[in-house]
Amino acid sequence: MIIDRVGFASRGHGAVLAIFLLVAIATPAFAEKPPPVQAGWSPFRVVGGVSPNLLPRRVMRPVDFEIGLESTGGKPPAPLSALTIEFDRAGRINPEGFTKCGRVQLLNQGLPACRRAVVGRGAATLAFDDGTLVPVSLAAVSAGTRDGSARLLVFASPRSSDLDLPLAVVQFEEQRVGRFGIRAEVTIPPIADGSAQLHDFLLRFKSRGSGAQTEGFVEARCRDGHLLAEVTSFGYADGTVVAGEPIIRACVRAAR
C-alpha cells in the first residue's frame, strides 16, 4: 500500500488544508514482510464496542461498531504511521449495498461528491509539535474492493476549514486460518509535513434501515459469548513496531 505525500498548509494551526497528492493505492502493505513486533509500553489505549450485544449464533447481522485510540498521556517514539487490527470470525466486513467512491472520483470531485459512500463517522485530535491540539471530524468512505478486499479512505475535516484531508487508508483482508477472520491494515501518512501526529480518535460504523431492511458495513454474530477485536501492532514513523492489545466484549446468543 503506497501513499503519496499529503500535508497541511497551516496558518497558526487554523489549518487551511492543502492536498498535494491524494491517495494512490498499490500493493497492500500486508503483502510486504513486516518488521518484528516488540513488546513494550504504548502511548495509546484501545477502545471500542458493538451494539446490540444480543446476536444470532450462526447468522451474521448488521451492528453498530466503534473503535478508537485514547492517549495515555505519554509521548510516542514517533508519529503513529500504521495499525494492524484483527477481528475474530464472529465479525465480518460487508461493503455490498453501499455506494463506492474511488480514488479518481475523490481526486477530481472531492469528499462532498462522495457523501453517499460514507460508512463511518467520528472525531480525532491532531497534536502539533508546539503542543497545540486541533480537533477534527472524521469520515470513512467506502472505496470499493480490490482483489476481493474492501478498502476505506478516512478523511479528517478541521472545524476551522471547509476542506478535507486524507488521513488514512484501510485495506481489509480475509484470513482463512486461525482465530481471526479479518485483518485490517491502516496506513497513516505524515501530517503537516511531519509536524503533527494523531493524538486520539474514535470512529463509528452505524447500521442503517430497520427490520429485514437493516444493512451495515460491519456485521457480527455471537458464537461463544464474546466478541474479539485486537489491535495487534502499532507502527511508528521511525520504524518502531509495538504490540497492541485486544478489545473483548460480551455478547448474548439469541434463541435463533
Side-chain angles (χ1 to χ4, degrees):
M1 188 180 296
I2 299 172
I3 298 184
D4 291 333
R5 186 165 175 269
V6 178
F8 280 114
S10 177
R11 296 178 182 174
H13 303 314
V16 177
L17 299 180
I19 302 173
F20 299 127
L21 291 176
L22 197 57
V23 179
I25 300 178
T27 306
F30 48 74
E32 303 169 1
K33 184 178 180 180
V37 177
Q38 306 174 16
W41 170 82
S42 171
F44 298 105
R45 179 185 303 109
V46 182
V47 297
V50 172
S51 178
N53 70 339
L54 179 63
L55 296 168
R57 180 176 182 178
R58 295 182 176 86
V59 180
M60 295 284 187
R61 65 152 290 176
V63 295
D64 295 346
F65 174 72
E66 66 178 28
I67 189 166
L69 298 178
E70 293 180 347
S71 172
T72 60
K75 182 177 177 61
L80 186 67
S81 61
L83 291 170
T84 299
I85 308 170
E86 295 187 288
F87 305 88
D88 71 10
R89 297 186 184 279
R92 72 180 179 190
I93 303 301
N94 183 14
E96 300 301 323
F98 290 89
T99 301
K100 279 72 174 178
C101 195
R103 180 186 66 84
V104 174
Q105 185 176 357
L106 284 165
L107 180 62
N108 293 334
Q109 301 177 9
L111 185 57
C114 297
R115 295 297 181 188
R116 295 183 63 187
V118 174
V119 296
R121 293 190 179 276
T125 307
L126 304 181
F128 283 81
D129 290 345
D130 64 1
T132 302
L133 299 178
V134 177
V136 296
S137 299
L138 299 180
V141 179
S142 175
T145 60
R146 186 184 203 108
D147 298 327
S149 298
R151 294 178 294 158
L152 291 178
L153 305 180
V154 181
F155 283 75
S157 303
R159 297 170 186 173
S160 57
S161 172
D162 294 329
L163 299 178
D164 303 295
L165 169 73
L167 186 67
V169 179
V170 185
Q171 181 94 22
F172 297 94
E173 180 191 41
E174 291 188 12
Q175 302 184 112
R176 301 185 182 277
V177 179
R179 175 166 180 79
F180 295 105
I182 295 289
R183 178 169 61 181
E185 294 286 351
V186 183
T187 305
I188 304 167
I191 302 170
D193 291 332
S195 65
Q197 58 186 291
L198 189 62
H199 181 268
D200 58 65
F201 80 90
L202 184 65
L203 193 57
R204 299 181 178 91
F205 299 87
K206 301 194 72 172
S207 58
R208 63 189 187 188
S210 59
Q213 303 303 314
T214 303
E215 56 185 1
F217 189 77
V218 180
E219 297 181 340
R221 57 182 174 170
C222 185
R223 298 195 310 168
D224 53 12
H226 68 268
L227 303 168
L228 172 64
E230 182 171 345
V231 177
T232 52
S233 65
F234 298 94
Y236 297 92
D238 65 353
T240 300
V241 180
V242 178
E245 60 181 90
I247 308 170
I248 301 175
R249 294 292 181 266
C251 63
V252 178
R253 286 181 289 190
R256 59 176 183 173

